[in-house]
Amino acid sequence: MNISGIISAIVVGAIIGALGRLILPGRQPIGILMTLLVGIVAAIAGTAIAQSVGVSTTNGVDWIELVFQIGLAVIGVALVAAFKTRGRQRRRSPR
Protein backbone atom coordinates (compact mmCIF):
# COMPACT_ATOMS: atom_id res chain seq x y z
CA MET A 1 0.00 0.00 0.00
CA ASN A 2 1.45 3.35 -1.00
CA ILE A 3 1.02 6.75 0.66
CA SER A 4 -1.97 7.74 -1.48
CA GLY A 5 -3.77 4.53 -0.44
CA ILE A 6 -3.13 5.30 3.23
CA ILE A 7 -4.33 8.88 2.86
CA SER A 8 -7.46 7.79 1.01
CA ALA A 9 -8.19 5.17 3.71
CA ILE A 10 -7.93 7.90 6.37
CA VAL A 11 -10.21 10.26 4.44
CA VAL A 12 -12.80 7.57 3.70
CA GLY A 13 -12.59 6.36 7.31
CA ALA A 14 -13.18 9.88 8.61
CA ILE A 15 -16.22 10.32 6.38
CA ILE A 16 -17.70 6.90 7.21
CA GLY A 17 -17.05 7.37 10.94
CA ALA A 18 -18.60 10.85 10.92
CA LEU A 19 -21.67 9.56 9.07
CA GLY A 20 -21.97 6.76 11.62
CA ARG A 21 -21.90 9.28 14.48
CA LEU A 22 -24.42 11.53 12.73
CA ILE A 23 -26.90 8.70 12.23
CA LEU A 24 -26.58 7.41 15.81
CA PRO A 25 -28.86 9.49 18.08
CA GLY A 26 -27.52 11.22 21.18
CA ARG A 27 -24.02 12.18 22.24
CA GLN A 28 -21.17 9.75 21.96
CA PRO A 29 -18.29 10.23 24.41
CA ILE A 30 -15.62 9.25 21.91
CA GLY A 31 -13.00 11.42 20.29
CA ILE A 32 -12.08 12.15 16.73
CA LEU A 33 -9.31 9.55 16.57
CA MET A 34 -11.62 6.79 17.79
CA THR A 35 -14.25 7.90 15.27
CA LEU A 36 -11.59 7.74 12.55
CA LEU A 37 -10.49 4.27 13.63
CA VAL A 38 -14.07 2.98 13.73
CA GLY A 39 -14.65 4.50 10.29
CA ILE A 40 -11.58 2.88 8.76
CA VAL A 41 -12.46 -0.54 10.20
CA ALA A 42 -16.09 -0.15 9.08
CA ALA A 43 -15.02 0.86 5.56
CA ILE A 44 -12.72 -2.14 5.19
CA ALA A 45 -15.19 -4.59 6.75
CA GLY A 46 -18.12 -3.16 4.77
CA THR A 47 -16.23 -3.57 1.51
CA ALA A 48 -15.32 -7.15 2.40
CA ILE A 49 -18.90 -8.02 3.34
CA ALA A 50 -20.29 -6.37 0.20
CA GLN A 51 -17.90 -8.31 -2.01
CA SER A 52 -18.64 -11.57 -0.19
CA VAL A 53 -22.40 -11.25 -0.78
CA GLY A 54 -21.87 -10.53 -4.47
CA VAL A 55 -22.04 -6.73 -4.76
CA SER A 56 -19.95 -5.90 -7.80
CA THR A 57 -17.52 -2.99 -7.93
CA THR A 58 -18.54 -0.27 -10.38
CA ASN A 59 -16.95 2.90 -11.74
CA GLY A 60 -19.49 5.07 -9.90
CA VAL A 61 -20.66 5.12 -6.32
CA ASP A 62 -21.34 1.67 -4.90
CA TRP A 63 -24.44 2.53 -2.86
CA ILE A 64 -24.99 -0.93 -1.40
CA GLU A 65 -21.38 -1.10 -0.26
CA LEU A 66 -21.73 2.37 1.26
CA VAL A 67 -24.81 1.25 3.21
CA PHE A 68 -22.84 -1.70 4.62
CA GLN A 69 -19.98 0.59 5.61
CA ILE A 70 -22.16 3.20 7.31
CA GLY A 71 -24.22 0.53 9.07
CA LEU A 72 -21.06 -1.02 10.47
CA ALA A 73 -19.82 2.43 11.50
CA VAL A 74 -23.06 3.05 13.43
CA ILE A 75 -22.67 -0.29 15.20
CA GLY A 76 -18.98 0.38 15.90
CA VAL A 77 -19.58 3.87 17.28
CA ALA A 78 -22.40 2.55 19.48
CA LEU A 79 -20.21 -0.24 20.85
CA VAL A 80 -17.23 2.02 21.54
CA ALA A 81 -19.47 4.64 23.18
CA ALA A 82 -21.12 1.96 25.34
CA PHE A 83 -17.78 0.57 26.51
CA LYS A 84 -16.44 4.03 27.21
CA THR A 85 -19.58 5.02 29.14
CA ARG A 86 -19.52 1.77 31.13
CA GLY A 87 -15.85 2.29 32.02
CA ARG A 88 -16.57 5.84 33.15
CA GLN A 89 -19.45 4.67 35.37
CA ARG A 90 -17.32 2.01 37.03
CA ARG A 91 -14.70 4.56 38.03
CA ARG A 92 -17.30 6.87 39.57
CA SER A 93 -19.20 4.29 41.61
CA PRO A 94 -18.06 3.82 45.23
CA ARG A 95 -16.90 0.37 46.27
Side-chain angles (χ1 to χ4, degrees):
M1 181 176 267
N2 56 12
I3 192 72
S4 64
I6 294 170
I7 291 172
S8 65
I10 291 171
V11 170
V12 168
I15 293 169
I16 296 295
L19 287 172
R21 281 187 76 169
L22 284 173
I23 292 172
L24 190 66
R27 285 182 54 105
Q28 298 86 31
I30 64 174
I32 294 171
L33 289 177
M34 189 56 69
T35 302
L36 178 69
L37 264 170
V38 168
I40 291 172
V41 170
I44 293 170
T47 299
I49 290 171
Q51 289 177 352
S52 69
V53 297
V55 176
S56 61
T57 304
T58 63
N59 291 333
V61 177
D62 294 327
W63 293 105
I64 298 172
E65 181 179 338
L66 189 61
V67 169
F68 280 124
Q69 292 171 338
I70 294 172
L72 288 172
V74 169
I75 293 168
V77 167
L79 289 173
V80 170
F83 284 127
K84 194 155 189 163
T85 301
R86 187 181 315 175
R88 188 179 301 169
Q89 290 173 350
R90 285 185 187 164
R91 283 185 253 146
R92 289 186 184 171
S93 64
R95 293 185 186 213

